[in-house]
């Protein structure tokens, strides 16, 4: 009986000691980072660094997998080769950050700030960029920017939606659906001049691409823009998706599935 108790205690120690040691090392690494603003090759797995000020921090090769860096200030930080798989970077400021060869697989970068971020050779598999600002054009497909634009517009976030549609067009100059979507979003902002310009471009492209449904939808939108009853939008603007629905929901066919 006594031997059984001793064996059980020994087994429990083999489980709890490594976990305790890891937690202590993790805490020590966090303290070092916050004190010196550097922690190269540190073990920061699952670290809680919400809203931490890590501007210019040296985190090269650090293991930040599963870490919570939501709304952290990482502007100018060096995260070259860092492991950020599964990390939360929701709303984080990554302006001018170095993420060369970093692992961002499954990371949450929603609504983050990515102006001038360096993502050369970074692993971006399943990374969530929805709502992020300043997404480098080379890291996403035109269809992804388009999908983010539609999602933003559905929520009434028209300025980000227009920006996403513009980015889709920058990558694919003949993206008729993106021109039409940007036109609809501009119309929702009461910018009829820009809406009409985009709608006319969409119509030309749809006609050239022999997309009958797209052309008919765009022509209906142009008619809406050029007839007096369009002024009623001031009295009660329809939602983006309701308005699209009234024209046939053709924009949905351009969403990636």
């Amino acid at each position: 009986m006594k031997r059984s108790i001793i064996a059980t205690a020994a087994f429990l120690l083999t489980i709890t000691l490594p976990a305790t040691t890891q937690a202590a090392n993790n805490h020590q690494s966090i303290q070092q980072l916050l004190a010196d603003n550097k922690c190269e090759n540190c073990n920061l797995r699952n670290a809680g660094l919400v809203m931490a000020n890590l501007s210019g921090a040296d985190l090269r090769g650090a293991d930040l997998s599963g870490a919570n860096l939501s709304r952290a200030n990482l502007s100018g930080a060096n995260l070259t080769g860092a492991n950020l798989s599964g990390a939360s970077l929701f709303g984080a400021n990554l302006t001018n950050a170095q993420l060369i060869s970093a692992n961002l697989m499954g990371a949450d970068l929603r609504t983050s700030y990515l102006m001038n971020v360096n993502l050369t050779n970074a692993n971006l598999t399943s990374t969530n960029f929805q709502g992020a600002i300043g997404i480098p054009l080379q890291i996403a497909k035109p269809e992804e920017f388009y999908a983010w634009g539609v999602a933003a517009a559905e929520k009434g976030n028209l300025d980000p939606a227009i920006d996403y549609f513009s980015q889709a067009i920058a990558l694919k100059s003949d993206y008729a659906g993106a021109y039409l979507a940007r036109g609809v979003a501009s119309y929702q902002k009461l910018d009829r001049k820009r809406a009409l310009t985009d709608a006319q471009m969409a119509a030309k492209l749809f006609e050239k691409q022999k997309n009958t449904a797209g052309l008919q939808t765009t022509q209906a939108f142009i008619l809406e823009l050029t007839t007096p009853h369009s002024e009623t939008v001031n009295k009660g603007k329809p939602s983006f998706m309701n308005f699209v629905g009234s024209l046939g929901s053709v924009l949905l066919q351009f969403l990636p599935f």
Side-chain angles (χ1 to χ4, degrees):
M1 181 70 176
K2 187 180 292 185
R3 287 181 181 179
S4 176
I5 294 171
I6 292 172
T8 302
F11 174 71
L12 290 173
L13 280 173
T14 63
I15 296 174
T16 57
L17 280 178
T20 303
T21 302
Q22 181 179 329
N25 291 339
N26 188 280
H27 178 72
Q28 189 175 31
S29 294
I30 293 174
Q31 292 298 104
Q32 178 187 333
L33 174 61
L34 296 177
D36 304 331
N37 211 32
K38 59 172 63 175
C39 204
E40 188 177 353
N41 297 315
C42 278
N43 175 11
L44 292 161
R45 289 194 299 271
N46 301 313
L49 292 163
V50 176
M51 298 182 72
N53 184 8
L54 301 172
S55 178
D58 183 356
L59 285 159
R60 289 173 292 171
D63 185 355
L64 286 152
S65 54
N68 190 347
L69 290 150
S70 298
R71 296 186 174 84
N73 180 9
L74 288 157
S75 59
N78 192 342
L79 290 148
T80 299
N83 181 7
L84 289 150
S85 59
S88 174
L89 291 152
F90 181 88
N93 182 3
L94 289 158
T95 302
N96 297 315
Q98 297 296 315
L99 284 155
I100 302 166
S101 300
N103 182 7
L104 287 156
M105 183 176 181
D108 181 3
L109 274 81
R110 289 174 299 160
T111 72
S112 59
Y113 297 85
L114 303 173
M115 287 74 74
N116 299 316
V117 67
N118 190 340
L119 289 160
T120 304
N121 297 323
N123 182 354
L124 302 173
T125 306
S126 301
T127 305
N128 190 343
F129 289 103
Q130 188 169 332
I133 298 170
I135 302 172
L137 292 178
Q138 68 270 24
I139 71 171
K141 298 176 182 179
E143 293 77 15
E144 290 175 309
F145 280 114
Y146 179 87
W148 293 331
V150 171
E154 280 186 278
K155 296 175 183 177
N157 301 324
L158 297 175
D159 287 328
I162 289 170
D163 184 55
Y164 284 132
F165 295 137
S166 297
Q167 288 174 298
I169 292 166
L171 286 171
K172 188 176 179 181
S173 59
D174 63 347
Y175 202 157
Y179 276 106
L180 178 56
R182 190 172 70 178
V184 173
S186 295
Y187 177 59
Q188 291 302 110
K189 283 177 59 67
L190 307 181
D191 187 348
R192 292 174 58 192
K193 183 177 180 181
R194 182 176 183 180
L196 182 59
T197 299
D198 278 342
Q200 290 171 335
M201 175 59 76
K204 289 178 183 178
L205 291 170
F206 279 131
E207 185 173 16
K208 184 178 179 179
Q209 295 161 10
K210 300 186 182 339
N211 186 326
T212 304
L215 179 59
Q216 290 176 345
T217 299
T218 307
Q219 288 173 335
F221 180 41
I222 291 173
L223 183 63
E224 175 76 11
L225 289 168
T226 54
T227 52
H229 73 270
S230 299
E231 299 293 341
T232 59
V233 73
N234 288 294
K235 297 180 180 178
K237 295 183 292 183
S239 72
F240 180 84
M241 292 310 294
N242 284 343
F243 185 73
V244 172
S246 70
L247 295 177
S249 298
V250 73
L251 300 188
L252 297 179
Q253 70 178 274
F254 299 103
L255 285 170
F257 294 104

